[in-house]
Amino acid sequence: MRQFECGTLVPGCDWHTRADQDAEIVRRAVDHMRTAHGETVIRETMVEHIKERIRDERAEPAQPAG
């Protein structure tokens, strides 16, 4: 699973998304940029910045049985 956290691009924003495919994450992030941040034109550089910030989802530490 892959993830994108908007706060890595727009400081203070806590929106994030997860998906199996980077293309789906980019689609969701672009939609978020339009609706939440008022971006009317999404330039290729913005798409590249989003792609650069997509990461593998961090594995949650195992909880001890108990």
Side-chain angles (χ1 to χ4, degrees), residues 10-45:
V10 180
C13 182
D14 62 357
W15 182 87
H16 61 279
T17 190
R18 303 178 330 163
D20 290 326
Q21 302 295 320
D22 286 7
E24 177 62 14
I25 291 176
V26 170
R27 185 194 68 75
R28 293 176 188 177
V30 165
D31 184 56
H32 170 73
M33 291 295 173
R34 286 187 176 120
T35 58
H37 300 298
E39 296 290 335
T40 56
V41 176
I42 305 296
R43 294 185 180 2
E44 185 61 31
T45 54

Side-chain angles (χ1 to χ4, degrees), residues 38-62:
E39 296 290 335
T40 56
V41 176
I42 305 296
R43 294 185 180 2
E44 185 61 31
T45 54
M46 176 68 74
V47 173
E48 291 303 318
H49 290 311
I50 292 167
K51 288 179 180 178
E52 290 168 357
R53 289 163 172 80
I54 296 173
R55 301 284 182 247
D56 287 325
E57 186 175 37
R58 287 173 260 181
E60 294 296 322

